[in-house]
Amino acid sequence: MPGFFDLFRTDVPTPRPGVAQDAFTDRLPAALPGTEFVATFTTVWQPVRPVERAAATVRWCLLDAARKIAAKHKVTEKTMLEAELNTRLPQLNLTTSQLMLLGCTVGLTVDREAEQDTIMVDKLTRDLRMQRLRHQLEQEQVGYLRDKVLTDPATARCYWLVHHPATLEPLLDDTFERVAAKLTGGGDRQASVVAETVQDFVGELTAEERRYLLDRLGDVFVSFDRGDLAGRVLDA
């Protein structure tokens, strides 16, 4: 049974752990393999309740987050990364570790050699990209000349006139015809064009018009002594 004096007792509150500070330096990997940032952290934190190795936990959480952020940046982006770290790290939630982060600042330095390596790699990457673009443009130009210009003598003459207005002699001979024959295989190309044109024409005819056309085409084949072809057309 509680005594008389117990009525006047009050529970003594458990003191809350105090605010702690820490400063440490570590390395953060950069986007280019083999390069890194040197980061100096200054932190202020407070345990929600007593926690063992609280300082080590704070360091691990901050380093883990900082390394993930830094891995997307090159050392030439030091100022940008520094601003991002000083914005995002103070918002880090450590309540699952029974800790409360009250403040965090980060300062970065970069090795001169790592910066020069990154600049060189960036230049080589740009040069390679431009070289690939030039090759692509050359291939497209060659394909355009081969498929659209030089296979059609009339178009080739117009192309020549636009680019060589002072030299008209090649327009008067059969140079472009001979070039087109070389690129298209001569008569094979002509036969292909005729076949494609006839196919387009026939596709737009009615059944009655198509039968009339086939009958007339059969007569043409017979006149060329190609009764075999006439039979195939008339049986179609």
Side-chain angles (χ1 to χ4, degrees), residues 24-194:
F24 63 96
T25 299
D26 212 315
R27 297 180 178 273
L28 308 177
L32 180 67
T35 61
E36 57 189 7
F37 302 92
V38 177
T40 299
F41 298 80
T42 302
T43 61
V44 181
W45 47 271
Q46 183 179 30
V48 176
R49 62 178 180 79
V51 179
E52 294 184 2
R53 297 179 57 81
T57 300
V58 173
R59 287 191 178 191
W60 184 89
C61 292
L62 289 172
L63 278 174
D64 182 61
R67 285 168 176 158
K68 292 176 181 177
I69 298 172
K72 302 176 183 179
H73 292 269
K74 295 176 287 190
V75 295
T76 50
E77 300 169 347
K78 178 178 73 70
T79 302
M80 183 188 307
L81 174 61
E82 195 172 71
E84 184 175 355
L85 291 174
N86 282 292
T87 299
R88 295 177 59 180
L89 290 186
Q91 302 176 19
L92 199 62
N93 189 342
L94 304 181
T95 54
T96 56
S97 300
Q98 301 300 319
L99 297 167
M100 182 183 302
L101 185 63
L102 302 179
C104 175
T105 58
V106 184
L108 298 177
T109 59
V110 173
D111 181 79
R112 179 64 177 171
E113 183 178 354
E115 186 176 12
Q116 291 297 325
D117 289 345
T118 302
I119 293 173
M120 181 183 66
V121 170
D122 284 346
K123 181 180 183 305
L124 292 175
T125 302
R126 288 194 301 270
D127 291 345
L128 180 59
R129 187 180 298 116
M130 290 302 299
Q131 185 177 6
R132 287 176 176 173
L133 180 58
R134 284 194 296 269
H135 288 168
Q136 180 180 351
L137 292 175
E138 289 175 358
Q139 290 176 356
E140 290 178 357
Q141 184 179 23
V142 169
Y144 172 74
L145 291 173
R146 181 191 64 231
D147 300 331
K148 302 296 184 181
V149 176
L150 297 179
T151 54
D152 182 359
T155 302
R157 282 187 168 84
C158 293
Y159 188 89
W160 179 273
L161 184 60
V162 170
H163 292 85
H164 306 87
T167 309
L168 303 180
E169 290 79 5
L171 302 179
L172 306 178
D173 56 31
D174 63 346
T175 299
F176 297 105
E177 282 75 12
R178 288 186 283 114
V179 170
K182 288 288 186 180
L183 294 177
T184 61
D188 293 341
R189 170 63 178 173
Q190 187 178 33
S192 176
V193 171
V194 171

